Amino acid sequence: MAERRRMAYRVHREILDEEEVDEMAEKSDSKGSLTQKFKQSMRCSGPRLKSCLLDSVPLLSWLPKYSLRENALGDLVSGISVGIMHLPQGMAYALLASVPPVFGLYSSFYPVLIYFIFGTSKHISVGTYAVMSVMIGGAIERVAPDSNFIVWDNETNSSIVDIFTRDAERVRVAAAVTFLSGLFQILLGLVQFGFVVTYLSDPLVRGYTTGAAIHVIVSQLKYTFGISPKRYSGPMSLIYTVIEVCYLLPTTNIGTLVVSIVTIISLILAKELNAYLSKKLPVPIPVELIGIVIATIVSWQVNLDEKYGVDVVGTIPSGLQPPVLPDVSLFGQVIGDAFALSVVGYGIAISLGRIFALKYGYNVDSNQELIALGLSNAFGGIFQCFAISCSMSRTMVQESTGGKTQVAGALSAIVILIIVLWIGALFEELPKAVLGAIIYVNLHGMMKQFMDIPALWKSNKVDMVVWVATFIFTVLLNPDMGLAASIGFSMLTVIFRTQLPKYSLLGQVPDTDIYRPLEDYNQVRQVPGILIFRSSATLYFANAEMYLDALREKSGINITKILSAKKKLEAKRKKLEEENAKKAKKAAKEAAKNNTADTKGEPEETEQKDITFIEMDPEPDPSLPRAIILDLSPVNFLDTVGVKTLRRIWTDYGEIGVKVVLACCQTGVVDNLQAGGFFNDKVTKSCLFSSIHDAVLHCQSSGRLSQDEENRFTHF
Amino acid sequence: MAERRRMAYRVHREILDEEEVDEMAEKSDSKGSLTQKFKQSMRCSGPRLKSCLLDSVPLLSWLPKYSLRENALGDLVSGISVGIMHLPQGMAYALLASVPPVFGLYSSFYPVLIYFIFGTSKHISVGTYAVMSVMIGGAIERVAPDSNFIVWDNETNSSIVDIFTRDAERVRVAAAVTFLSGLFQILLGLVQFGFVVTYLSDPLVRGYTTGAAIHVIVSQLKYTFGISPKRYSGPMSLIYTVIEVCYLLPTTNIGTLVVSIVTIISLILAKELNAYLSKKLPVPIPVELIGIVIATIVSWQVNLDEKYGVDVVGTIPSGLQPPVLPDVSLFGQVIGDAFALSVVGYGIAISLGRIFALKYGYNVDSNQELIALGLSNAFGGIFQCFAISCSMSRTMVQESTGGKTQVAGALSAIVILIIVLWIGALFEELPKAVLGAIIYVNLHGMMKQFMDIPALWKSNKVDMVVWVATFIFTVLLNPDMGLAASIGFSMLTVIFRTQLPKYSLLGQVPDTDIYRPLEDYNQVRQVPGILIFRSSATLYFANAEMYLDALREKSGINITKILSAKKKLEAKRKKLEEENAKKAKKAAKEAAKNNTADTKGEPEETEQKDITFIEMDPEPDPSLPRAIILDLSPVNFLDTVGVKTLRRIWTDYGEIGVKVVLACCQTGVVDNLQAGGFFNDKVTKSCLFSSIHDAVLHCQSSGRLSQDEENRFTHF
């Protein structure tokens, strides 16, 4: 077997030498990927135009094949159910976004229609989404705060906020940020940057949405208690708002609070009932719709607004509004928010879309999704909508009521259109507290995400830290800055994970060619005279020093001490040699002087003894291993620091007579070594081995460094 | 051999099963390192107090052993040479730091003495350093700009800058930022955070110092041309300053410019001469000292100041100044600068220190260095010094003139003390332009670092990008913000490197157990019916999606299509079965009705045929591979996304009858899989193999999934 193995090893060595490194470098695809993607996006020309059109407008490819018999009924039921949900959610989320409720209805109409044409996911319900709304609200409150619209009221002789002008300005800001975020999405989609969503890992998205939910709750407190706290913006604004709310609690409007509590309790009970009956009913009861209808009727009959001072929705204009080009002068102020919105909106939509694509076995094109959402938002921005994404709760209803294609979404948009055109105005007496209550109850699912913490604690502590950090960043720094900080942090964890690697010495599983860490397995035996060292992580600048330290510690070789001892010895030897040379000269002189046969031999002898004594000392220490094998299989790449570290190990240990060889390098790592100048006429590729076992066999057969080799080291 | 191998593989499997995972988790040292370090730093108590004292005050351990005979002469010569260099450099760098020149001399005295007591590097020359000085200058110009000190001069009837008050304030700011940076360093040293320096990779440090050199040059232009541009601070201030300088060029003071040019040319010539004579002279000619002496004499004789308006150094008070506690109220404004200073100062000193420690075979304790520098700065701050680090040029002189221990540094401090006490006042007539010229000439080495770009281009392109990005960040964002941005960027590159991994299918080197990428080697052959897949990088959130795509592409298995086809078939089969059941019922009824022997057999036969037809279809496609082996050797860790991805591959491919096994997992990766819930009663550890060859042998012997196994998958 040993013979065969040696042959195999020779075969491998030949292969390795045969391959020219230049060729390898050419093959390296590390730079190719992005260029390729760009080319792909550009190749829509000539005969491929038709397929390209079908790709860009998915509607054209799937609608002609639409099977009425199979899908129509499910889509219809699902579309109406979702449309009914859009109404209360749209109005409630408009409050979150700090714009009048009717704009929430617009946002549930235009973008949904556009997504119907360009979207590729069949099951997600795009439209208003709490997290997006609260982000827009943050931007709006910053750009157009109440304090900008204070006018002197001659009637009451006090300064009041000019609500009409303020709301008009706020809608303009919302439209601008929405339009801009749409442009960002289209742009990202065109350059095929759909992959950016990979930075939004699962723990990050869940921690983020939970943190955003806290913002949503806090921003609704004022409607629940009927108070008017100052609005804060910037980092820590949540904390200030909570303090302000606590401070204002004594001024709570009791009527509003009663409405809130009654609505919340009724909604929770009704939802429980829904869950209980879910198997018996074909379509869930539209509890929210019933809730707002009842609340509106009660409010209208009891005259809650005037009698108890309960804040109501107010004027809802019937019909649609003409398109208005967004105000470009606002773009500069909201560019950051727009970017955050575009990433978050896309991240949420694509992750939900993928879940259903997986469940029903179809593909969601991440770049086409970006473009579809971008067009929805850009178009929506022109029609004064606010930025949309896709809502978890509506999507669940859309799927569970039998929705099978995008047609369900289109139908829900038509339901909203009908409401906007004819029914909307009926809801003018609806208390805002009811909308707040609807938001709370809808956040139920997000609050459940707190259970991720114990689950992640068990499965992956680093991911738990990412979750918690994202949550804290989002709560403290607001959703926009919080997202940036969280992504930064989650990337840092990758560094941290490779910064505390596990260093181990490997040993052989007896009678096999398998090598495993000595400390993990009992049956593993160290190979006599050979150290096999492995780090569990890539070797690069952030852990190179640790690699050296760990090797020193694990090997037990105090390289600094040995080297300095060696240097001293060298110096001593030189000195002695010089002295010897002097002595010899002297002796020769004396010999020449005396010129007698007896005294001639003696000085020469002592001289020789001295030299021999010194030359014997630097013999290799028998406690030192014969060779060190560095197992580089976990190394993904080498940077210049990594290459230098390996080189330093090679020379340092080489100088004290220990041979260093590298095993299991990937092709890319060999390229890095080559380019980084690791190899030269002294260090050739013969120190590379394709497996640990090959390296061990080689080291066992070749034995210690020859004296010649060692000399080369000494003069390095 | 095959028999033996199978045995070995069984041995390995037993080992793997034997080890309890809980035990593994306990052993995992991923969390231990920091705690351990902290404990180490806390364990100075009881009987270890003495050794702890020796560790904290290295002077006590090495000074008693100081060999006068060996070191004294070298240290004396070197100390005087370096002390002489401290004089011009200290004064010049004080200009950079925007404080009067004498404070540069103080900075060359107190901190150097403190380092002599606490430092562990024997060869570095701590003291003023150009990069640190320009950073302090930036902070000072921001906190105490000229515009704060404008007073109305009654004599000239114009507004002038009250230089005396301004300089006093600036010294206070410098002392505050220095003291604070010292505190940071001590703190970092006490919590054993010396490892932070690992983030300062070599390309980063070199790019950074080159970028800082540009700042140094620009800030000296005003002295060279004798103009007074406005000072800018904040990002892009360098660009504004350059524009301002260009704008003011017509107002150049010709006298100053002549002095500058003459000095620069003389210094360059003298340095060339020095380099030429370096082998013949025991000590280099102190060209800078000679330069300032000549310049002072000329300036005094010719009366450059009054006759030609050449700006001179001005009053240099003799003697030392009493200690003053730094102004705590300034800390808030300079905390960012102080932190940047502490990191940069430490980074420069430790990297130089390590170079010489390596050369002379001794150890530099990174945490002790932090504390030593921190004490130097904190103490220096009290004595109105500005922050110090260690200068490359002085260190080179200290080492080349024979300095062997920290005593050389202490002697250089004494030289400076003598100058401050008695000689300093003689240099009052020295033109500032001469100091500027000295700075330029000293930056010579840093400018050479531009040659790194082509060198890195050849060896490692990512590192070149880090260099260039660091340079640009430093130039545009100033040294403090630039450092943060650069460190962030260099960490991002780690993400990028793992984001574009190379995915390959592996094949067998014939007659061996070696598996290599098919596309890299000609002699490698694919194992029939088995796909071996490897990514060159760790599998984690940022590349999990790509891993799935690459596996799909490389394997050529359109899993979505197959799965959806299978689902449709399943549905059809169900339908048909229901129909068959109906038919059978009907037939049974009819049979019961007719009750004749002839007609009984027929409907049963057709029924059976139908069922058979449907059941035959989902047989495994012969074009599918028997098994997929995922080689996980390059995986350093798995996060939850990684575990989910592997699990998804296992179920998806399992459902279409392809077995998925994992090979070459590190122990930590197995722990991650375990904690992440990868294993359950269906997925057991039997899908882990210690090498690809084991996995191949297993897959070849076990063959396709049994029908029973496949059924399990279907009902997953």
Side-chain angles (χ1 to χ4, degrees):
Chain A
M1 180 186 164
E3 185 48 44
R4 189 150 183 193
R5 170 153 279 289
R6 224 161 281 143
M7 202 198 73
Y9 144 71
R10 233 172 283 131
V11 167
H12 165 66
R13 177 57 25 78
E14 274 160 29
I15 295 169
L16 204 72
D17 288 346
E18 200 176 79
E19 301 289 317
E20 274 303 304
V21 171
D22 299 30
E23 202 182 324
M24 284 179 183
E26 269 175 39
K27 275 187 203 154
S28 151
D29 63 352
S30 67
K31 62 186 183 302
S33 186
L34 271 182
T35 341
Q36 221 176 339
K37 281 188 174 178
F38 190 72
K39 272 186 198 152
Q40 271 175 6
S41 72
M42 292 289 110
R43 72 180 178 202
C44 297
S45 66
R48 300 189 57 120
L49 194 66
K50 197 188 152 195
S51 105
C52 183
L53 190 69
L54 288 181
D55 279 355
S56 316
V57 189
L59 180 82
L60 298 180
S61 62
W62 63 263
L63 198 60
K65 293 187 216 150
Y66 186 76
S67 154
L68 269 180
R69 203 172 60 90
E70 270 182 39
N71 304 326
L73 184 69
D75 282 348
L76 184 70
V77 173
S78 153
I80 293 174
S81 310
V82 172
I84 287 170
M85 284 184 81
H86 265 306
L87 170 67
Q89 286 194 355
M91 288 166 76
Y93 293 162
L95 288 191
L96 276 182
S98 298
V99 294
V102 71
F103 292 95
L105 299 183
Y106 300 156
S107 304
S108 307
F109 172 63
Y110 294 108
V112 179
L113 271 189
I114 303 290
Y115 185 83
F116 164 68
I117 299 169
F118 296 102
T120 60
S121 169
K122 300 178 186 175
H123 293 88
I124 64 172
S125 164
V126 297
T128 54
Y129 179 51
V131 173
M132 305 283 283
S133 304
V134 82
M135 287 170 77
I136 296 166
I140 285 179
E141 300 275 352
R142 197 189 62 240
V143 177
D146 276 354
S147 55
N148 282 10
F149 303 96
I150 289 172
V151 290
W152 188 257
D153 187 10
N154 285 327
E155 282 175 36
T156 61
N157 263 343
S158 63
S159 58
I160 54 160
V161 176
D162 180 356
I163 291 177
F164 186 77
T165 326
R166 183 197 70 180
D167 284 351
E169 175 67 16
R170 288 184 167 184
V171 169
R172 261 202 301 284
V173 175
V177 69
T178 303
F179 183 77
L180 199 57
S181 78
L183 287 190
F184 275 130
Q185 287 174 330
I186 296 172
L187 206 75
L188 290 176
L190 286 178
V191 297
Q192 310 274 315
F193 256 55
F195 73 89
V196 290
V197 79
T198 52
Y199 292 126
L200 306 176
S201 69
D202 201 40
L204 187 137
V205 168
R206 295 176 70 90
Y208 181 73
T209 48
T210 313
I214 302 291
H215 279 276
V216 171
I217 290 173
V218 168
S219 70
Q220 288 308 298
L221 289 177
K222 59 176 173 180
Y223 297 117
T224 306
F225 292 101
I227 51 183
S228 340
K230 267 183 280 179
R231 281 290 286 248
Y232 296 88
S233 61
M236 310 292 285
S237 62
L238 186 112
I239 308 292
Y240 298 133
T241 308
V242 169
I243 293 170
E244 176 93 10
V245 166
C246 292
Y247 183 74
L248 289 176
L249 271 191
T251 66
T252 300
N253 177 312
I254 303 298
T256 309
L257 188 60
V258 169
V259 170
S260 300
I261 293 173
V262 170
T263 322
I264 291 176
I265 293 175
S266 325
L267 282 175
I268 291 177
L269 290 179
K271 290 228 162 184
E272 287 296 316
L273 188 73
N274 237 346
Y276 179 70
L277 295 175
S278 63
K279 280 185 184 165
K280 296 179 188 166
L281 296 174
V283 175
I285 310 167
V287 286
E288 287 158 354
L289 180 73
I290 296 172
I292 63 169
V293 168
I294 294 175
T296 310
I297 293 171
V298 169
S299 167
W300 172 50
Q301 287 295 331
V302 183
N303 204 353
L304 284 177
D305 183 14
E306 285 173 19
K307 261 198 193 149
Y308 300 95
V310 173
D311 205 8
V312 298
V313 165
T315 325
I316 297 181
S318 278
L320 299 169
Q321 303 206 349
V324 180
L325 270 184
D327 187 351
V328 181
S329 64
L330 289 168
F331 283 4
Q333 286 170 274
V334 295
I335 193 162
D337 306 274
F339 191 77
L341 280 170
S342 65
V343 173
V344 172
Y346 170 63
I348 303 291
I350 193 76
S351 48
L352 260 181
R354 277 192 179 147
I355 291 173
F356 288 102
L358 198 67
K359 191 168 172 188
Y360 289 95
Y362 61 89
N363 269 327
V364 167
D365 178 346
S366 59
N367 293 308
Q368 179 61 29
E369 280 298 284
L370 252 179
I371 294 174
L373 286 172
L375 286 171
S376 301
N377 277 328
F379 200 77
I382 296 173
F383 283 91
Q384 309 182 334
C385 302
F386 52 82
I388 52 90
S389 172
C390 102
S391 140
M392 188 82 167
S393 53
R394 283 199 313 272
T395 305
M396 299 297 275
V397 169
Q398 177 163 341
E399 187 239 352
S400 62
T401 52
K404 288 201 172 65
T405 67
Q406 289 96 321
V407 170
L411 288 173
S412 77
I414 290 171
V415 171
I416 286 293
L417 179 66
I418 294 168
I419 292 170
V420 169
L421 290 182
W422 296 292
I423 310 172
L426 300 178
F427 290 109
E428 291 187 354
E429 286 298 312
L430 176 66
K432 283 182 177 173
V434 172
L435 293 178
I438 290 174
I439 291 175
Y440 294 142
V441 177
N442 275 323
L443 289 179
H444 178 228
M446 284 195 193
M447 288 302 115
K448 269 191 196 153
Q449 291 182 158
F450 275 113
M451 297 309 296
D452 288 2
I453 300 180
L456 285 173
W457 171 259
K458 270 183 217 146
S459 65
N460 198 313
K461 296 203 177 44
V462 181
D463 279 347
M464 189 209 66
V465 172
V466 169
W467 196 104
V468 173
T470 305
F471 176 77
I472 293 172
F473 284 143
T474 311
V475 166
L476 294 186
L477 302 178
N478 296 355
D480 46 352
M481 288 292 293
L483 182 69
S486 308
I487 292 178
F489 182 80
S490 86
M491 290 185 179
L492 269 190
T493 58
V494 180
I495 310 273
F496 295 152
R497 292 202 220 223
T498 55
Q499 269 230 293
L500 297 170
K502 193 176 175 184
Y503 297 102
S504 11
L505 290 182
L506 307 187
Q508 192 173 24
V509 179
D511 296 323
T512 68
D513 54 0
I514 295 166
Y515 294 81
R516 301 251 117 193
L518 284 171
E519 67 265 37
D520 289 346
Y521 299 89
N522 295 326
Q523 278 154 286
V524 167
R525 297 278 163 270
Q526 192 164 355
V527 185
I530 294 175
L531 278 180
I532 309 166
F533 182 74
R534 176 164 78 186
S535 154
S536 69
T538 292
L539 172 66
Y540 70 114
F541 68 85
N543 58 18
E545 202 66 34
M546 274 183 268
Y547 191 88
L548 285 175
D549 291 345
L551 177 59
R552 194 174 303 141
E553 194 195 313
K554 293 267 176 190
S555 69
I557 303 175
N558 191 338
I559 191 102
T560 331
K561 211 172 159 186
I562 298 178
L563 277 183
S564 79
K566 204 180 169 184
K567 261 178 194 149
K568 269 184 194 161
L569 223 82
E570 196 90 352
K572 245 187 201 164
R573 179 166 63 180
K574 245 188 189 166
K575 223 175 169 182
L576 242 118
E577 267 174 17
E578 276 169 24
E579 274 174 30
N580 281 335
K582 267 186 200 168
K583 265 188 205 166
K585 247 185 181 172
K586 221 176 164 183
K589 264 187 194 171
E590 266 174 38
K593 229 188 243 173
N594 297 353
N595 211 7
T596 52
D598 327 328
T599 46
K600 200 179 175 184
E602 255 181 284
E604 264 175 29
E605 256 169 48
T606 45
E607 189 185 310
Q608 267 178 347
K609 217 167 64 192
D610 278 350
I611 294 170
T612 328
F613 164 66
I614 291 299
E615 287 218 326
M616 263 182 68
D617 216 307
E619 270 289 283
D621 183 350
S623 74
L624 286 182
R626 193 182 295 174
I628 292 177
I629 298 170
L630 303 176
D631 174 12
L632 297 185
S633 58
V635 171
N636 298 339
F637 63 87
L638 283 174
D639 60 355
T640 44
V641 178
V643 174
K644 269 185 198 163
T645 306
L646 290 178
R647 195 164 174 76
R648 193 174 143 190
I649 292 171
W650 196 86
T651 43
D652 282 3
Y653 287 87
E655 261 187 82
I656 61 167
V658 179
K659 182 166 185 164
V660 176
V661 300
L662 314 179
C664 306
C665 296
Q666 296 193 56
T667 339
V669 173
V670 177
D671 294 352
N672 285 336
L673 284 171
Q674 174 85 16
F678 182 79
F679 302 112
N680 55 20
D681 49 337
K682 275 165 214 144
V683 195
T684 62
K685 281 199 176 168
S686 64
C687 73
L688 297 178
F689 292 86
S690 74
S691 75
I692 300 177
H693 197 60
D694 288 341
V696 169
L697 290 181
H698 170 80
C699 293
Q700 281 174 336
S701 65
S702 72
R704 282 179 189 286
L705 288 174
S706 63
Q707 192 61 38
D708 178 56
E709 272 179 299
E710 205 186 333
N711 280 346
R712 275 200 331 224
F713 278 112
T714 327
H715 301 294
F716 202 82
Chain B
M1 181 190 166
E3 186 49 43
R4 190 153 182 192
R5 171 154 276 290
R6 225 162 281 143
M7 201 197 72
Y9 143 71
R10 235 173 282 130
V11 167
H12 165 66
R13 177 56 25 76
E14 274 159 28
I15 295 168
L16 203 72
D17 289 345
E18 198 176 79
E19 300 291 316
E20 274 304 303
V21 171
D22 298 30
E23 201 183 323
M24 283 178 180
E26 267 174 40
K27 275 185 203 154
S28 150
D29 63 352
S30 67
K31 62 186 185 300
S33 187
L34 270 182
T35 341
Q36 221 176 337
K37 280 188 174 176
F38 189 72
K39 272 185 198 153
Q40 272 175 4
S41 72
M42 293 290 110
R43 71 182 179 202
C44 297
S45 65
R48 301 189 56 119
L49 195 66
K50 195 188 155 196
S51 107
C52 181
L53 190 70
L54 288 182
D55 279 355
S56 318
V57 188
L59 180 82
L60 297 181
S61 63
W62 65 261
L63 198 60
K65 295 183 213 151
Y66 187 78
S67 155
L68 269 178
R69 202 173 59 92
E70 270 181 39
N71 305 325
L73 184 69
D75 282 347
L76 185 71
V77 173
S78 154
I80 293 173
S81 310
V82 171
I84 288 170
M85 282 184 82
H86 265 306
L87 171 67
Q89 286 194 357
M91 289 166 78
Y93 293 161
L95 286 191
L96 274 182
S98 299
V99 293
V102 72
F103 292 95
L105 299 182
Y106 299 155
S107 305
S108 308
F109 172 62
Y110 295 107
V112 179
L113 271 189
I114 303 290
Y115 185 84
F116 163 67
I117 300 170
F118 296 101
T120 60
S121 170
K122 301 179 185 173
H123 293 88
I124 65 172
S125 163
V126 298
T128 53
Y129 179 53
V131 173
M132 304 283 283
S133 305
V134 80
M135 286 171 77
I136 295 167
I140 285 178
E141 299 276 351
R142 198 189 62 238
V143 177
D146 276 354
S147 55
N148 283 9
F149 304 95
I150 289 172
V151 289
W152 188 256
D153 186 12
N154 285 327
E155 283 177 36
T156 61
N157 261 344
S158 62
S159 58
I160 55 158
V161 175
D162 179 357
I163 291 176
F164 185 76
T165 325
R166 183 197 69 179
D167 284 351
E169 175 68 16
R170 288 185 167 183
V171 169
R172 261 201 301 285
V173 175
V177 69
T178 302
F179 183 77
L180 198 57
S181 79
L183 287 191
F184 276 129
Q185 286 173 331
I186 295 173
L187 206 75
L188 290 176
L190 286 180
V191 298
Q192 309 275 315
F193 256 55
F195 72 89
V196 290
V197 80
T198 52
Y199 292 125
L200 306 176
S201 67
D202 201 40
L204 188 136
V205 168
R206 294 176 71 89
Y208 181 74
T209 47
T210 314
I214 302 291
H215 279 276
V216 172
I217 290 173
V218 169
S219 70
Q220 288 308 297
L221 290 177
K222 60 177 175 182
Y223 298 117
T224 307
F225 292 102
I227 52 183
S228 339
K230 266 184 281 179
R231 279 290 284 248
Y232 296 87
S233 63
M236 312 292 286
S237 60
L238 185 113
I239 308 291
Y240 297 133
T241 309
V242 170
I243 293 170
E244 177 93 10
V245 166
C246 292
Y247 183 76
L248 290 175
L249 272 191
T251 65
T252 300
N253 178 312
I254 303 298
T256 308
L257 189 59
V258 169
V259 171
S260 299
I261 291 172
V262 169
T263 321
I264 291 175
I265 293 174
S266 326
L267 282 176
I268 290 175
L269 290 178
K271 289 228 161 184
E272 287 297 315
L273 187 72
N274 237 345
Y276 179 72
L277 295 176
S278 63
K279 281 186 185 164
K280 295 179 189 165
L281 296 174
V283 175
I285 311 165
V287 284
E288 287 158 354
L289 181 73
I290 296 172
I292 63 171
V293 168
I294 294 175
T296 309
I297 294 170
V298 170
S299 168
W300 172 53
Q301 289 295 328
V302 182
N303 203 354
L304 283 178
D305 182 14
E306 284 171 21
K307 259 195 196 153
Y308 300 95
V310 172
D311 204 8
V312 298
V313 164
T315 324
I316 296 180
S318 278
L320 299 170
Q321 302 207 347
V324 180
L325 270 184
D327 187 351
V328 181
S329 64
L330 287 168
F331 283 6
Q333 293 174 54
V334 295
I335 192 162
D337 307 273
F339 190 77
L341 279 170
S342 65
V343 173
V344 172
Y346 170 62
I348 302 291
I350 193 77
S351 48
L352 259 181
R354 278 195 180 144
I355 291 172
F356 288 103
L358 197 70
K359 190 168 173 188
Y360 289 95
Y362 60 90
N363 269 329
V364 168
D365 178 345
S366 59
N367 292 309
Q368 179 60 29
E369 280 298 283
L370 251 177
I371 293 174
L373 287 172
L375 286 171
S376 302
N377 278 327
F379 199 77
I382 296 172
F383 283 92
Q384 309 182 338
C385 303
F386 51 84
I388 52 90
S389 173
C390 101
S391 141
M392 188 81 165
S393 54
R394 282 198 314 271
T395 304
M396 300 296 275
V397 170
Q398 175 162 343
E399 186 239 351
S400 61
T401 51
K404 288 202 173 64
T405 67
Q406 290 95 320
V407 170
L411 289 173
S412 76
I414 291 170
V415 171
I416 285 295
L417 180 66
I418 295 168
I419 292 170
V420 169
L421 290 181
W422 296 293
I423 310 172
L426 300 179
F427 291 109
E428 289 185 358
E429 286 297 311
L430 175 66
K432 284 182 178 174
V434 172
L435 293 177
I438 289 174
I439 290 175
Y440 294 142
V441 176
N442 274 324
L443 289 178
H444 179 228
M446 284 196 194
M447 289 300 116
K448 268 190 197 156
Q449 291 182 155
F450 276 113
M451 297 311 295
D452 287 1
I453 301 181
L456 285 173
W457 170 260
K458 270 185 217 143
S459 65
N460 198 316
K461 298 203 176 48
V462 182
D463 279 347
M464 188 209 68
V465 171
V466 170
W467 195 105
V468 173
T470 304
F471 175 76
I472 293 173
F473 284 142
T474 311
V475 167
L476 294 186
L477 301 178
N478 295 355
D480 46 352
M481 288 291 294
L483 182 69
S486 308
I487 292 179
F489 181 80
S490 86
M491 289 187 180
L492 269 189
T493 57
V494 180
I495 309 276
F496 295 152
R497 292 202 219 223
T498 55
Q499 271 230 293
L500 297 171
K502 194 177 176 187
Y503 297 103
S504 9
L505 289 182
L506 307 188
Q508 191 175 25
V509 179
D511 297 323
T512 69
D513 54 0
I514 295 166
Y515 293 81
R516 301 251 116 194
L518 285 170
E519 69 263 37
D520 288 347
Y521 298 89
N522 295 325
Q523 279 156 286
V524 168
R525 296 279 164 269
Q526 194 165 353
V527 184
I530 296 175
L531 278 179
I532 309 166
F533 181 74
R534 177 164 76 186
S535 155
S536 69
T538 292
L539 172 65
Y540 71 113
F541 69 85
N543 59 17
E545 201 67 33
M546 272 184 269
Y547 191 86
L548 284 175
D549 291 347
L551 177 59
R552 195 175 302 140
E553 194 195 312
K554 293 266 177 190
S555 68
I557 304 175
N558 191 336
I559 191 103
T560 329
K561 212 173 158 186
I562 298 178
L563 276 183
S564 79
K566 204 182 171 185
K567 261 179 196 152
K568 269 185 196 163
L569 223 80
E570 196 91 352
K572 246 188 202 167
R573 181 166 62 176
K574 246 189 190 166
K575 226 176 170 182
L576 242 118
E577 267 173 18
E578 275 169 25
E579 274 174 29
N580 281 334
K582 267 187 201 169
K583 263 188 204 168
K585 247 186 185 174
K586 222 177 166 185
K589 264 185 194 172
E590 267 175 35
K593 229 187 243 173
N594 296 356
N595 210 8
T596 53
D598 325 332
T599 47
K600 201 179 173 183
E602 257 180 282
E604 266 177 23
E605 257 170 45
T606 46
E607 191 185 306
Q608 269 179 345
K609 217 168 66 193
D610 278 353
I611 294 169
T612 328
F613 164 66
I614 291 300
E615 288 218 325
M616 264 181 67
D617 216 309
E619 270 289 284
D621 183 351
S623 73
L624 287 181
R626 194 181 296 173
I628 292 177
I629 298 170
L630 303 177
D631 174 13
L632 298 186
S633 58
V635 171
N636 299 341
F637 63 85
L638 281 174
D639 60 354
T640 46
V641 179
V643 174
K644 272 186 195 162
T645 306
L646 290 179
R647 192 161 177 77
R648 194 175 144 189
I649 292 172
W650 197 86
T651 43
D652 282 3
Y653 286 86
E655 262 187 81
I656 61 167
V658 179
K659 183 167 184 164
V660 176
V661 300
L662 314 179
C664 306
C665 296
Q666 296 194 55
T667 339
V669 173
V670 176
D671 293 352
N672 285 336
L673 283 171
Q674 174 85 16
F678 182 79
F679 302 110
N680 56 19
D681 48 337
K682 276 162 213 147
V683 195
T684 63
K685 282 199 174 168
S686 64
C687 73
L688 297 178
F689 292 87
S690 74
S691 76
I692 301 177
H693 197 59
D694 288 340
V696 169
L697 290 180
H698 170 80
C699 294
Q700 280 174 337
S701 65
S702 71
R704 281 181 191 285
L705 290 175
S706 63
Q707 191 61 38
D708 177 55
E709 272 181 299
E710 203 185 332
N711 280 345
R712 275 202 330 228
F713 277 114
T714 327
H715 302 294
F716 201 80

